[in-house]
Amino acid sequence: MIKLYGLRMSNYYSLTKAVLIEKGLDFEEVKAPPTQKEDNLARTPMGKMPSIGVDGHYLSESFAIVNYLERIQPEPALLPEDPFEAAKALELAYHIKLDVELVARRCISELVFNIPVSDEVKAATEKDLVRGLQAVGQLLVCSPYAAGETFTIADMYVNYGFGLTQAFGAQIANKDLLADYPQITELLARIADRPSIKRVTEEAAA
Ligand SMILES: N[C@@H](CCC(=O)N[C@@H](CS)C(=O)NCC(=O)O)C(=O)O
């Protein structure tokens, strides 16, 4: 059985868990906070969460894990069959992660832990977020799902990739950074009702 290491509060842990549920795979959750301790580094070399364990072998990085899950359990597919469409879904997911989520994450200390970040960092973050959102807006299909007709990994990154940006808007920029992208807000509302995501949300709140 697959072991999922990390904490339910983490968006990347939640994303991985939602994919495991979508795929109908058996898994066991193991509480493992991010640390630089040896046992954690053996699973995840930067000490972050999530990681998974399969027969004593470990894998970190949500993209790598999701790719592995897609291969061992192809149905239900979370990528389109057409290679180009599949790559477009991944392109969108990567831009959400690299150009939006990771950008907003620069301010996580203030957003989540109340430890202030400098005005310079805030200004650079806002500028880069605006640019990242433009890129994501350009790629989003939303017809009806993020990358097209079927629910894909890109929808998972939509669902778990904008939380810090919304918090940055509310707590630091004093504006809704998603205001120009109503399709994202609509998609978020639609995806939130999906059983896998509902279960992850409910269990994280329990
Ligand atoms: N690129 C990683 C990101 C994982 C990540 O940033 N996890 C956060 C929690 S959401 C973490 O472990 N943070 C603790 C740390 O940075 O030490 C992935 O996609 O899995």
Side-chain angles (χ1 to χ4, degrees):
M1 188 192 300
I2 297 172
K3 289 189 174 174
L4 173 61
Y5 296 89
L7 297 177
R8 289 177 171 177
M9 62 178 287
S10 153
N11 56 335
Y12 291 112
Y13 176 96
S14 297
L15 183 152
T16 306
K17 181 174 167 182
V19 172
L20 282 160
I21 296 168
E22 284 284 336
K23 295 281 181 190
L25 287 161
D26 278 340
F27 65 97
E28 179 193 339
E29 291 180 83
V30 183
K31 267 192 196 167
T35 70
Q36 297 297 309
K37 288 188 185 154
E38 216 171 297
D39 62 329
N40 195 45
L41 293 179
R43 291 188 290 264
T44 166
M46 289 301 287
K48 297 188 182 194
M49 55 190 176
S51 59
I52 62 166
V54 185
D55 300 331
H57 299 284
Y58 300 110
L59 189 59
S60 63
E61 284 298 323
S62 59
F63 259 120
I65 298 171
V66 165
N67 181 56
Y68 169 72
L69 300 179
E70 185 73 8
R71 281 169 179 249
I72 60 163
Q73 185 66 54
E75 298 294 334
L78 288 180
L79 283 175
E81 208 177 317
D82 177 81
F84 196 79
E85 281 181 34
K88 287 303 287 183
L90 289 176
E91 179 192 27
L92 173 56
Y94 271 106
H95 281 290
I96 292 169
K97 178 171 178 172
L98 298 176
D99 298 313
V100 177
E101 210 281 338
L102 279 176
V103 173
R105 194 167 277 271
R106 292 178 202 157
C107 295
I108 196 168
S109 67
E110 179 160 328
L111 295 172
V112 178
F113 305 109
N114 240 350
I115 302 166
V117 295
S118 70
D119 288 346
E120 287 78 11
V121 170
K122 288 178 189 170
T125 300
E126 185 169 345
K127 182 169 168 276
D128 293 346
L129 269 181
V130 167
R131 182 68 191 96
L133 285 167
Q134 274 172 357
V136 167
Q138 179 182 325
L139 292 174
L140 270 172
V141 179
C142 292
S143 173
Y145 293 107
E149 284 171 15
T150 57
F151 183 88
T152 67
I153 286 164
D155 293 281
M156 288 294 191
Y157 279 86
V158 166
N159 193 68
Y160 294 106
F162 289 110
L164 285 176
T165 297
Q166 289 172 311
F168 181 91
Q171 296 175 40
I172 293 177
N174 293 317
K175 64 171 96 138
D176 178 4
L177 292 168
L178 299 185
D180 290 339
Y181 305 94
Q183 71 274 39
I184 297 180
T185 315
E186 282 160 26
L187 188 57
L188 283 171
R190 219 172 320 127
I191 303 174
D193 274 343
R194 210 170 164 89
S196 62
I197 288 172
K198 260 184 133 167
R199 179 177 147 191
V200 171
T201 307
E202 282 165 11
E203 290 182 357

